């Protein structure tokens, strides 16, 4: 049996959760069955993160060109982004046809990838897309879904939104993002993690992890911490994330109003090796207000044997059983979050048991090997049966 050739379209500007998941997928594909190729628009610094993958890279251009619209110009001509998308798609279609690619896998499926689906399909290439967003205007349209051979959704939460756009779609399947629990095991001790972040080895730390964005719930973490700070005077709160300067200013103002400025530490930027934050923390807050398409924080922190209060919305809710394999709370209910926080702090043995239950449940379910096998089976169904209906 010949190896099945899969081309992955990676058109991002940064290496984030979606790119990390694609990296893990390619790393764990059975190379006896599959030959991966990564297609990039043009060279960018973050692509160095893929360097250790045993696969071929293909660049559609050697740099930013005059026809690349907003990629190239601060004030692009009207219609130039449409031209950019069409030309990139044409280059993808020509390359995949020439290389006899079996399946083109679009790592971030959004409505503006229509040409990247339609032109390769016109050239006879099977195309699947990874739907990774919970935002409705990023969910692929009915027309786009109709011409795809299959849609991989990162959670049932996302799949339900995909089906809202096209209820007749029977080619949309849920495959959760991988979390490699083994990579977190024993990487840092708690003392080492605290020291690497600039804290003393005996510090008690709570943290809220995520971009500085209003929907990430850092303000709720601050309010909850303010409620318990008097009873837990040795504890500090760390807001671990960067991004929006106006949000940073708003959160610092809230700390001043609640008179806890000297107890809240802001990293003011994304932390490299976020596992250090998880390992250093006694509790991690992940309180995004709208739920998340998948949300890696609750499971990465669990892999580090740290208690997490996750939102009772989105993918976290469909995976975590509150009080059994983790802790869930309405991210807008301050009273409930305070109660959960105190339960964790006052009952360390029970907390440890729940954390271990989570590890036992999620380590195999979210393993890179299992995720890659699920995707591989998805590819094989498409190749054997055509469009899944």
């Amino acid at each position: 049996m010949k190896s099945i050739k899969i081309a992955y379209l990676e058109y991002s500007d940064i290496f984030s959760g979606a790119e990390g998941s694609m990296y893990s997928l390619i790393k764990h594909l059975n190379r006896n069955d599959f030959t991966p190729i990564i297609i990039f628009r043009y060279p960018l610094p973050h692509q160095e993160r893929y360097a250790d993958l045993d696969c071929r890279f293909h660049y559609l251009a050697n740099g930013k060109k005059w026809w690349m619209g907003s990629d190239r110009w601060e004030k692009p001509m009207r219609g130039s982004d449409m031209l950019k998308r069409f030309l990139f798609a044409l280059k993808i279609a020509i390359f995949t046809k020439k290389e006899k690619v079996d399946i083109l896998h679009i790592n971030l499926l959004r409505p503006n990838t229509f040409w990247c689906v339609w032109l390769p399909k016109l050239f006879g290439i099977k195309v699947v897309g990874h739907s990774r967003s919970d935002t409705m205007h990023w969910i692929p349209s009915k027309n786009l879904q109709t011409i795809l051979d299959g849609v991989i959704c990162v959670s049932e939460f996302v799949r339900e939104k995909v089906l809202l756009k096209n209820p007749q779609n029977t080619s949309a399947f849920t495959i959760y993002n991988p979390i490699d629990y083994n990579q977190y095991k024993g990487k840092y001790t708690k003392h080492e993690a605290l020291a690497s972040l600039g804290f003393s080895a005996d510090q008690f730390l709570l943290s809220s992890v995520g971009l500085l964005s209003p929907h990430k719930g850092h303000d709720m973490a601050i309010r909850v911490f303010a409620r318990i700070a008097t009873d837990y005077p040795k504890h500090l709160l760390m807001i671990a994330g960067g991004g929006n300067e106006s949000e940073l200013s708003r959160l610092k103002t809230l700390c001043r109003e609640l008179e806890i400025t000297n107890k809240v530490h802001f990293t003011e930027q994304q932390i490299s090796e976020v596992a250090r934050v998880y390992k250093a923390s006694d509790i991690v807050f992940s309180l995004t207000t709208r739920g998340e398409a998948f949300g890696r924080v609750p499971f990465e922190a669990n892999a580090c044997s740290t208690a997490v209060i996750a939102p009772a919305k989105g993918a976290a809710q469909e995976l975590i059983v509150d009080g059994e394999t983790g802790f869930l709370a309405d991210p807008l209910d301050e009273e409930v979050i305070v109660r959960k926080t105190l339960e964790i702090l006052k009952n360390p043995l029970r907390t440890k048991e729940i954390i271990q239950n989570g590890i036992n449940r999620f380590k195999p379910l979210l393993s890179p090997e299992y995720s890659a096998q699920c995707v591989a089976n998805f590819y094989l169904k498409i190749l054997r049966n055509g469009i899944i209906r």
Side-chain angles (χ1 to χ4, degrees):
M1 176 181 171
K2 77 177 185 70
S3 179
I4 297 166
K5 195 174 287 188
I6 313 291
Y8 295 88
L9 175 59
E10 202 272 50
Y11 61 90
S12 300
D13 293 318
I14 60 171
F15 192 96
S16 190
E19 294 70 41
S21 295
M22 190 186 83
Y23 171 95
S24 179
L25 167 59
I26 295 171
K27 182 177 180 180
H28 291 90
L29 271 182
N30 186 332
R31 296 305 177 84
N32 293 323
D33 298 330
F34 299 95
T35 299
I37 303 169
I38 305 180
I39 299 175
F40 298 114
R41 295 171 298 165
Y42 43 79
L44 289 169
H46 80 276
Q47 295 160 2
E48 294 176 2
R49 300 283 292 273
Y50 300 100
D52 64 340
L53 288 178
D54 179 23
C55 72
R56 178 181 168 190
F57 301 153
H58 175 73
Y59 296 92
L60 300 171
N62 59 11
K64 295 180 181 181
K65 304 297 184 182
W66 65 266
W67 48 267
M68 291 184 185
S70 56
D71 284 17
R72 175 66 178 81
W73 307 102
E74 289 186 11
K75 296 181 179 179
M77 292 178 60
R78 186 173 182 179
S80 59
D81 274 357
M82 177 66 75
L83 174 64
K84 170 186 68 176
R85 287 193 288 269
F86 176 81
L87 289 178
F88 272 137
L90 182 61
K91 286 173 173 282
I92 293 165
I94 292 171
F95 172 77
T96 52
K97 182 68 174 178
K98 178 183 176 183
E99 293 294 321
K100 298 181 180 179
V101 166
D102 295 288
I103 293 176
L104 171 66
H105 185 140
I106 299 174
N107 191 48
L108 279 170
L109 183 64
R110 292 177 181 171
N112 64 7
T113 56
F114 177 86
W115 287 111
C116 293
V117 175
W118 189 80
L119 280 174
K121 286 286 292 180
L122 192 65
F123 279 49
I125 308 298
K126 295 187 182 297
V127 184
V128 303
H130 229 117
S131 188
R132 299 181 179 277
S133 175
D134 60 292
T135 306
M136 281 305 292
H137 71 268
W138 283 347
I139 298 294
S141 67
K142 180 177 180 179
N143 288 339
L144 180 54
Q145 291 184 45
T146 300
I147 60 175
L148 282 160
D149 292 277
V151 180
I152 299 173
C153 304
V154 296
S155 62
E156 281 296 308
F157 181 56
V158 170
R159 182 173 176 272
E160 289 170 5
K161 294 194 172 189
V162 167
L163 296 180
L164 282 175
K165 291 281 186 79
N166 182 20
Q168 286 74 43
N169 188 351
T170 58
S171 69
F173 289 86
T174 296
I175 301 175
Y176 292 113
N177 280 337
I179 304 289
D180 189 353
Y181 270 55
N182 291 327
Q183 81 177 59
Y184 296 99
K185 186 177 180 180
K187 194 165 187 180
Y188 298 97
T189 66
K190 185 180 179 66
H191 292 170
E192 288 170 344
L194 283 164
S196 75
L197 295 169
F199 297 104
S200 62
D202 59 350
Q203 180 62 59
F204 294 98
L205 189 68
L206 282 64
S207 63
S208 182
V209 179
L211 292 173
L212 294 182
S213 178
H215 76 276
K216 286 294 186 178
H218 295 303
D219 51 351
M220 180 60 77
I222 290 169
R223 290 190 182 93
V224 168
F225 178 74
R227 293 272 300 273
I228 70 165
T230 301
D231 292 333
Y232 291 88
K234 294 183 179 180
H235 287 64
L236 298 179
L237 174 67
M238 180 166 65
I239 308 298
N244 192 323
E245 288 295 324
S246 63
E247 179 65 4
L248 176 62
S249 176
R250 184 179 78 90
L251 294 174
K252 287 185 173 181
T253 298
L254 178 61
C255 291
R256 287 194 294 273
E257 291 172 353
L258 296 173
E259 299 181 350
I260 54 171
T261 298
N262 63 333
K263 288 182 169 290
V264 181
H265 173 76
F266 291 86
T267 66
E268 300 189 14
Q269 61 184 351
Q270 185 177 359
I271 290 283
S272 62
E273 287 195 281
V274 70
R276 294 182 298 154
V277 177
Y278 303 140
K279 286 279 191 177
S281 302
D282 296 285
I283 300 176
V284 170
F285 295 109
S286 180
L287 300 174
T288 179
T289 57
R290 65 185 187 207
E292 291 193 279
F294 178 75
R296 301 180 66 87
V297 170
F299 307 104
E300 290 176 342
N302 177 250
C304 292
S305 300
T306 300
V308 187
I309 299 178
K313 293 184 176 184
Q317 182 175 236
E318 61 188 75
L319 285 166
I320 297 169
V321 178
D322 184 40
E324 294 184 21
T325 59
F327 303 92
L328 294 174
D330 181 338
L332 298 176
D333 193 328
E334 184 177 319
E335 295 300 325
V336 169
I337 301 168
V338 168
R339 187 172 74 247
K340 296 273 183 182
T341 302
L342 293 174
E343 285 176 5
I344 292 169
L345 293 173
K346 291 179 179 179
N347 300 284
L349 293 180
R350 176 58 181 157
T351 296
K352 186 176 180 180
E353 180 183 338
I354 291 170
I355 292 169
Q356 187 59 51
N357 289 343
I359 292 171
N360 295 342
R361 166 65 174 155
F362 303 128
K363 183 177 180 179
L365 177 66
L366 303 178
S367 75
E369 294 83 3
Y370 179 68
S371 178
Q373 187 57 57
C374 289
V375 175
N377 292 340
F378 189 73
Y379 292 154
L380 293 174
K381 284 182 181 180
I382 289 170
L383 293 173
R384 287 169 183 162
N385 307 320
I387 295 178
I388 304 172
R389 293 289 184 243

